[in-house]
Amino acid sequence: MTRMSRIALVAAVVAAAGIMTARRPGRRRADTRSWHSMTVYRTLDDVSANLPDQLCRLEVQLTPAPGGRGAEIRARGDRPDAEVRRILRLSRSLLEVGEVRR
Amino acid sequence: MRALQWRGPNRLAVGEVPDPAIKTRADVVVRVRLSATCGSDLQLLGGDSPYVGKGDVLGHEFVGEVVELGADVQRHHVGDRVVVAPVIACGRCWFCSQYEYSLCDNGGCFGWSHAGSHAEYVRVPFADVGAFTVPDEVADERALFASDAASTGWMGADMGGVNPGDVVAVWGAGAVGQLAARAAQLLGADRVLVIDRYDNRLRQVEKHIGAETINYERTDVVATLLDRSGGRGPDVCLEAVGRPGTVGEAVTACRKGGSVFVLGLFAGLVDRFPLGAISVKGLTVRSARMHGQRYIPMLLQRMAKGELTTEHLATHVMPLEEAPEGYRLFRTREDGCVRAVFRPGS
Ligand SMILES: NC(=O)c1ccc[n+]([C@@H]2O[C@H](COP(=O)([O-])OP(=O)(O)OC[C@H]3O[C@@H](n4cnc5c(N)ncnc54)[C@H](O)[C@@H]3O)[C@@H](O)[C@H]2O)c1
Ligand SMILES: [Zn+2]
Ligand SMILES: [Zn+2]
């Protein structure tokens, strides 16, 4: 994936996050929210085409992982860190194996 | 169905639990024919594992018969007799692509994160990746150990880098240590020595594995190993105990430039370790949880050819209803117990 499409995608998600923060103005502290990253063993195109719903509610950046390791998903949002990490893990399972049932 | 449940620290009981059902398209349900105790269960019986809660079903080393198939399962049919790797792996993440199945991002383990095999039935996720058909000529009592003890032992010898002509030392004469010793022989080791303190286990090593033995209660282990390796020290040291002290002893005994592989599973911090010796002697020290999916098909072939026999390890075969007593025997090593093996539905 090219740098341009990456930027486009980020812009799209940032816009979505913007709508959410607009609904909850009290929570608007974008600079302090920390990023969390996870690598998914799928191509960047595959990931961006199949981004799980829960991730769409966060601010998301996608980049290819080096060495053929798939795609790196970076996310942050107005949620506790543990919740963002849980969403990332769930998303990875959905993207890699399709279904998630323990 | 009936199943062995963890009911609290050191409390086990057989009780009624819901029958498992297919949950994803890659699952199968297996009717358990035999399911064995493992040294790694002993730690979690005390309640140290965050994964095991009251009522959970234990067990991860098993052989059984496929009774139900998920829609996407390709490699199995109803009625197949299968051995299943204890570590659940998806086959689709990056770690699985490197054959590092126990590092799977979407996996787990029977009897920990997923309901275990000391039960009449067990749900097997990702069955095309983790379940393997047993050749007709391999009986249940042999195939059972391909699941865990034999694949774990083989992994130690393989990843520890055993080469033809090597002297190999194995700490622990449980099922894992014995089969690590056998793997080292099959990989061409010249001399294999197994260390333990239970004479019945050491006798099994001499009789069924054909390796030399050292009783650590009666002998200075490091001095004996040095003596029996011409003063060099063993080329490869395999730790199959999981108690403080043994890895340090292996590092101390190992020859310069040699390799130590830790199969034992440790909880928490372990101190007083001869870390300096690793650098000074240029050692390679590695460890892993078992990557059963790598080895099980090859092990079943060797079992079919008679190169690998494991029946002697099943010292106590009993109905599932007696599983709490089986764990007591296994934990106390009473009556020469090496592995208690449960037969559900009998
Ligand atoms: N890496 C993995 O994925 C994996 C898989 C299975 C088992 N394991 C681990 O492997 C280890 C062995 O498993 P097992 O089922 O054979 O256990 P086991 O409890 O049946 O056997 C362990 C043996 O070690 C002996 N021992 C104790 N202290 C010793 C010492 N100082 N020196 C030499 N021997 C000593 C005991 O007497 C016993 O015979 C356990 O730690 C278990 O958790 C790891
Ligand atoms: Zn085990
Ligand atoms: Zn995986």
Side-chain angles (χ1 to χ4, degrees):
Chain A
M1 183 173 226
T2 63
R3 171 167 287 270
M4 222 161 65
S5 51
R6 174 194 154 177
I7 291 165
L9 182 68
V10 172
V13 198
V14 167
I19 293 167
M20 204 176 74
T21 42
R23 261 189 274 125
R24 293 189 296 172
R27 293 273 194 94
R28 201 156 185 286
R29 284 167 56 212
D31 343 332
T32 59
R33 300 171 310 167
S34 48
W35 287 100
H36 298 274
S37 296
M38 189 152 288
T39 304
V40 178
Y41 193 47
R42 283 290 169 272
T43 63
L44 195 60
D45 289 346
D46 196 1
V47 172
S48 56
N50 298 292
L51 214 59
D53 289 348
Q54 280 178 295
L55 260 189
C56 294
R57 279 177 239 130
L58 301 174
E59 187 181 349
V60 172
Q61 296 178 345
L62 299 178
T63 43
R69 280 166 174 71
E72 295 173 5
I73 306 180
R74 242 180 135 212
R76 67 176 179 182
D78 291 318
R79 290 160 189 246
D81 289 352
E83 174 68 3
V84 175
R85 282 197 297 271
R86 193 190 64 79
I87 293 174
L88 279 168
R89 272 199 306 276
L90 183 79
S91 303
R92 180 178 60 197
S93 290
L94 283 169
L95 287 159
E96 286 180 347
V97 302
E99 302 172 277
V100 185
R101 288 301 283 277
R102 276 266 134 183
Chain B
M1 66 167 182
R2 307 292 287 167
L4 179 74
Q5 297 172 287
W6 189 79
R7 296 272 178 92
N10 300 310
R11 280 183 50 222
L12 295 174
V14 177
E16 200 67 30
V17 302
D19 282 3
I22 300 284
K23 282 195 191 167
T24 85
R25 301 163 67 88
D27 291 353
V28 302
V29 173
V30 165
R31 186 177 66 76
V32 179
R33 291 164 68 104
L34 292 177
S35 182
T37 58
C38 172
S40 55
D41 297 332
L42 295 178
Q43 270 176 9
L44 60 92
L45 293 186
D48 293 340
S49 171
Y51 284 113
V52 180
K54 282 191 183 150
D56 283 357
V57 179
L58 302 181
H60 59 265
E61 181 164 41
F62 62 105
V63 58
E65 187 184 315
V66 176
V67 292
E68 230 183 302
L69 293 171
D72 288 351
V73 174
Q74 305 274 325
R75 286 182 30 210
H76 301 288
H77 304 277
V78 169
D80 282 359
R81 197 160 57 103
V82 291
V83 145
V84 178
V87 164
I88 297 165
C90 75
R92 304 196 60 188
C93 70
W94 184 76
F95 294 95
C96 284
S97 83
Q98 306 298 302
Y99 311 106
E100 302 204 279
Y101 296 100
S102 64
L103 305 181
C104 176
D105 274 333
N106 307 297
C109 186
F110 295 101
W112 267 274
S113 55
H114 290 63
S117 60
H118 296 333
E120 290 179 78
Y121 299 92
V122 59
R123 179 177 77 94
V124 176
F126 308 118
D128 281 340
V129 182
F132 301 89
T133 302
V134 179
D136 287 341
E137 57 270 41
V138 182
D140 287 348
E141 286 76 7
R142 188 174 293 185
L144 168 67
F145 295 105
S147 164
D148 187 4
S151 12
T152 302
W154 196 284
M155 178 183 76
D158 175 41
M159 293 179 74
V162 171
N163 279 310
D166 279 353
V167 177
V168 177
V170 181
W171 276 255
V176 173
Q178 290 196 30
L179 295 177
R182 183 65 188 135
Q185 289 175 337
L186 289 167
L187 289 169
D190 185 68
R191 196 159 194 186
V192 179
L193 303 110
V194 180
I195 303 140
D196 205 302
R197 74 186 170 102
Y198 289 101
D199 282 326
N200 66 301
R201 292 183 174 214
L202 294 175
R203 273 197 306 274
Q204 283 197 334
V205 168
E206 287 161 7
K207 181 166 171 216
H208 297 283
I209 307 296
E212 298 171 49
T213 59
I214 298 173
N215 187 319
Y216 71 82
E217 280 190 330
R218 295 201 284 270
T219 332
D220 179 333
V221 173
V222 173
T224 309
L225 287 173
L226 285 174
D227 176 47
R228 298 216 203 151
S229 58
R232 301 183 302 279
D235 302 283
V236 178
C237 296
L238 305 175
E239 196 275 358
V241 177
R243 287 206 180 172
T246 45
V247 183
E249 201 165 74
V251 163
T252 306
C254 196
R255 78 148 160 82
K256 289 187 284 182
S259 128
V260 174
F261 199 91
V262 181
L263 290 168
L265 299 174
F266 292 83
L269 307 177
V270 179
D271 214 345
R272 294 190 55 77
F273 187 79
L275 194 57
I278 295 180
S279 342
V280 172
K281 292 167 73 174
L283 300 181
T284 303
V285 181
R286 286 191 79 180
S287 182
R289 286 194 307 143
M290 59 103 62
H291 302 306
Q293 287 82 345
R294 271 194 210 174
Y295 302 107
I296 290 173
M298 173 273 293
L299 293 169
L300 288 170
Q301 289 310 312
R302 289 185 189 267
M303 286 177 164
K305 283 190 267 175
E307 288 177 7
L308 192 62
T309 58
T310 59
E311 293 84 339
H312 67 280
L313 301 168
T315 50
H316 294 71
V317 183
M318 53 184 71
L320 178 65
E321 295 296 322
E322 292 169 26
E325 170 63 4
Y327 266 97
R328 193 189 65 77
L329 290 170
F330 178 58
R331 184 170 47 78
T332 58
R333 324 292 192 201
E334 236 175 81
D335 193 33
C337 186
V338 177
R339 277 278 193 267
V341 175
F342 311 129
R343 200 188 279 286
S346 68

